[in-house]
Amino acid sequence: MYSIIVVPAHAADPGSQVRLAPGERLHFGRAAPRTAGAPHTAGAPHAAGAPRHLDIPHPGVSRTAGEIGATASYWTLSNFSTSSTYVVENPEGAGEHIKIAPGRLDAPVPFEFSRVVLPAGGDLLDFSVWAPRHDYVERAFSACSEDGEPTALAFPLDRSKRYFLVLAALCESRLRGAPHAPLPTVDRIVERLRPLWPAVNRASVQWNIDYLAVKLRLKPGPDTADGGPRLNGKKETLVSLALRFDLVHEDDLVTLTGLPSMTEAR
């Protein structure tokens, strides 16, 4: 099962994403390193054991700029540059970031969402890395003193992330006692969340819905030849899964505190 997904800048479809399983590595730069053979085409199958490569076609980027390594619960970044510092930003962290100094190897990156920023001449280039397999132990077990390893959640969700805000808004009407209520449109979710998230728009809500499909394993892993078939009824499937397995409770609607409910807004 993959543990991270690399999303090139301006990626237009899931086929352009690169999915890495624990232990796999991805070179990135202007051209593939000599040992890697032909450059990797995102989304295409690759020979077993062959290094993979993400092309960043810019004259200001080194041919072998760096490398990403996937582990089970985080990922690492190596900076092969001799002069440029790379920055890894947490887009949801209010400016939180880490710097990867020139020559640094296998620096661990703890963010679930990351934007890797590379200086390239007078430009700043970036690509994104998702780590949807971030796991969280059950709080009831983490606080106890029993021997043994705590149990990991089947569907790990971080309630501080914006994707959970979107999921709560999707589930709100049904959690408030209207089990057959139609799900809110993307536009209604935008209106619902704007007081808490001023920069929200249709694209950001849809991005989080797509990410939830990956996070909750409704989309296939990298062992398939492509990103898998289109997931029809994505919102309905997400809400059905979330409510069936109690991933969102009525108490979680406190995240929407201060906003009129979907039902009340009608």
Side-chain angles (χ1 to χ4, degrees):
M1 181 65 178
Y2 58 86
S3 64
I4 69 169
I5 302 173
V6 180
V7 184
H10 311 300
D13 59 80
S16 62
Q17 300 169 359
V18 182
R19 299 164 185 242
L20 301 179
E24 290 188 323
R25 304 185 76 84
L26 175 72
H27 297 118
F28 61 88
R30 192 167 83 246
R34 293 181 181 177
T35 57
H40 169 71
T41 299
H46 62 288
R52 306 171 73 178
H53 184 78
L54 175 67
D55 286 323
I56 304 178
H58 189 287
V61 176
S62 170
R63 289 180 173 82
T64 53
E67 185 179 68
I68 289 170
T71 73
S73 58
Y74 66 95
W75 58 281
T76 63
L77 178 62
S78 296
N79 181 354
F80 295 160
S81 171
T82 59
S83 58
S84 296
T85 295
Y86 299 161
V87 174
V88 183
E89 300 174 342
N90 175 5
E92 295 193 344
E96 183 181 19
H97 68 279
I98 59 176
K99 297 179 181 180
I100 312 300
R104 176 73 158 92
L105 299 178
D106 292 326
V109 179
F111 309 141
E112 184 169 347
F113 304 108
S114 302
R115 181 185 298 115
V116 180
V117 183
L118 312 176
D123 299 319
L124 292 176
L125 308 180
D126 66 82
F127 58 87
S128 298
V129 179
W130 303 348
R133 294 303 302 275
H134 270 209
D135 293 327
Y136 301 88
V137 299
E138 295 180 16
R139 289 180 174 85
F141 283 92
S142 64
C144 74
S145 58
E146 294 180 3
D147 293 334
E149 291 295 322
T151 303
L153 294 174
F155 299 104
L157 295 173
D158 185 343
R159 283 163 166 73
S160 69
K161 298 295 185 183
R162 286 173 180 161
Y163 66 69
F164 190 80
L165 204 61
V166 171
L167 185 59
L170 277 170
C171 298
E172 182 182 17
S173 294
R174 297 189 181 183
L175 284 172
R176 293 192 186 278
H180 303 296
L183 296 183
T185 64
V186 170
D187 286 332
R188 284 185 62 80
I189 295 174
V190 170
E191 294 174 9
R192 177 80 173 117
L193 299 182
R194 195 178 302 281
L196 288 178
W197 180 5
V200 68
N201 54 38
R202 286 181 53 85
S204 57
V205 168
Q206 190 60 58
W207 185 95
N208 278 277
I209 290 173
D210 291 341
Y211 181 78
L212 281 163
V214 173
K215 180 77 171 173
L216 299 183
R217 304 167 198 173
L218 298 176
K219 296 290 287 182
D223 48 345
T224 58
D226 55 32
R230 181 179 178 85
L231 182 61
N232 294 318
K234 189 180 303 180
K235 292 191 299 180
E236 187 70 45
T237 304
L238 283 170
V239 170
S240 176
L241 179 71
L243 297 182
R244 176 173 298 179
F245 290 99
D246 291 330
L247 305 184
V248 182
H249 304 84
E250 187 173 355
D251 290 347
D252 291 318
L253 297 181
V254 70
T255 59
L256 305 175
T257 297
L259 304 180
S261 70
M262 292 287 187
T263 303
E264 293 168 350
R266 290 194 184 118

